[in-house]
Amino acid sequence: MARDRYIPNPVTIAAAQPFDSMDALWFWFMQAQQARIDGAKSLQGAGLVARPCEPIDVLRVLDRLHRNRSLSMDHMLVLRHYGLRMLPPDPRRAQEQRAHRLWTEAMAVMEQPFIDKGILSPRADMVRFWGGSVVVPMHVLQEAAE
């Protein structure tokens, strides 16, 4: 008896939709990792929205940033804890103020490498100057022009 094998359609990079925010990317990654730990098999393009990466790509960027000491172990622990909760730390709660600072630092550090790889879409309200190191909100430039 011949078995029909499921072969997913390959997702082209052009059809893949980058993430809108670093938080969305992180929570997607944490859900994928939790599913993998629970025994799910990863199939590229099997989700509702085609993404330009796989969870291992996020893990590689995270590993590189940690090895370069851009992200500390404190950053990693906060990212893991709140990623599993699927909720960023709340700066209004006294117990979460330090975690919120670490979370925002980590998100800022991780943003540019994911934009460079095409995994994260550049923020429309930001302008990046030569070299990508200076970021200025558009409203600041508009106010300066007036």
Side-chain angles (χ1 to χ4, degrees), residues 7-79:
I7 301 173
N9 293 333
V11 176
T12 62
I13 297 297
Q17 180 181 349
F19 290 92
D20 294 329
S21 71
M22 195 58 225
D23 287 354
L25 168 61
W26 185 255
F27 292 136
W28 171 84
F29 168 71
M30 289 302 294
Q31 283 181 328
Q33 287 299 99
Q34 190 60 45
R36 188 180 65 83
I37 290 168
D38 292 342
K41 292 184 179 180
S42 176
L43 295 173
Q44 184 177 9
L48 296 176
V49 177
R51 296 298 184 182
C53 67
E54 295 209 23
I56 191 69
D57 300 324
V58 176
L59 196 57
R60 286 181 183 141
V61 170
L62 193 64
D63 182 53
R64 182 174 48 89
L65 290 171
H66 180 65
R67 287 176 186 265
N68 291 339
R69 296 185 180 162
S70 298
L71 292 177
S72 68
M73 187 52 73
D74 288 341
H75 289 113
M76 303 292 238
L77 293 173
V78 166
L79 288 171

